[in-house]
């Protein structure tokens, strides 16, 4: 090992620009969390979305939408967003954009990413509803 490099660095096994792994149902202290969920229908298929933390989402946008290099990578952003927020169907959650690429489908991932971006900033009302009042 070269001097000055530590094998225990947080990026040592995943690469420098890797999104930190976010367990879907466990927080960093080992306890289980209750994330918000929403079911959406895109092009006739039902998808279950799960919320992500603010820090996870901002790290994602910093890496792919507003990177220091100045080169935007929308495909990697969409792939990470789908893998991190879609929990059903399981095949879409696991494979991300590859699932849609094999089907030559462009419209579904575009609409799905829009639905995820709309869902993430929503807040639960004290009564449990996510609908916004028109006041």
């Amino acid at each position: 090992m070269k001097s000055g490099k530590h094998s225990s660095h947080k990026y040592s096994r995943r690469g420098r620009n890797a999104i930190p792994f976010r367990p879907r149902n466990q927080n960093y202290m080992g306890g289980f969390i209750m994330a918000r969920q929403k079911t959406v229908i895109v092009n006739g298929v039902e998808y279950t979305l799960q919320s992500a933390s603010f820090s996870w989402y901002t790290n994602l946008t910093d890496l792919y939408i507003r990177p220091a290099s100045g080169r935007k990578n929308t495909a990697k952003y969409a792939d990470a967003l789908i893998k991190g927020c879609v929990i059903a169907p399981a095949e879409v959650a696991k494979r991300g954009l590859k699932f849609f690429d094999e089907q030559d489908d462009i419209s579904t991932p575009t609409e799905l990413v829009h639905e995820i971006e709309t869902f993430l900033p929503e807040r639960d009302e004290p009564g449990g509803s996510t609908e916004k009042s028109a006041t």
Side-chain angles (χ1 to χ4, degrees):
M1 179 160 63
K2 295 180 182 178
S3 63
K5 293 197 175 194
H6 302 285
S7 62
S8 62
H9 190 267
K10 65 181 178 179
Y11 297 117
S12 63
R13 293 194 303 184
R14 294 189 302 260
R16 186 158 190 87
N17 291 330
I19 294 291
F21 174 72
R22 180 181 68 86
R24 295 182 188 274
N25 60 356
Q26 239 180 345
N27 65 17
Y28 293 106
M29 301 299 287
F32 288 94
I33 56 174
M34 292 298 294
R36 290 182 303 115
Q37 292 186 354
K38 179 180 180 181
T39 302
V40 296
I41 298 174
V42 177
N43 291 341
V45 179
E46 190 174 286
Y47 297 92
T48 304
L49 309 179
Q50 180 172 314
S51 63
S53 69
F54 176 76
S55 60
W56 181 86
Y57 183 70
T58 53
N59 285 337
L60 181 72
T61 57
D62 287 347
L63 281 174
Y64 298 127
I65 300 300
R66 295 183 300 272
S69 67
R71 284 185 262 155
K72 184 175 171 179
N73 193 334
T74 308
K76 285 186 178 180
Y77 167 76
D79 187 49
L81 195 63
I82 289 170
K83 287 179 179 177
C85 295
V86 174
I87 57 175
E91 191 173 359
V92 174
K94 182 178 180 180
R95 297 180 61 222
L97 282 182
K98 288 182 182 179
F99 177 82
F100 299 108
D101 286 345
E102 290 174 358
Q103 298 178 1
D104 262 354
D105 189 358
I106 294 174
S107 66
T108 302
T110 304
E111 291 179 39
L112 184 58
V113 166
H114 176 71
E115 288 288 340
I116 294 169
E117 290 175 333
T118 304
F119 164 68
L120 287 177
E122 289 178 356
R123 294 181 59 185
D124 284 334
E125 296 291 325
S129 172
T130 56
E131 295 178 21
K132 296 182 174 128
S133 62
T135 27

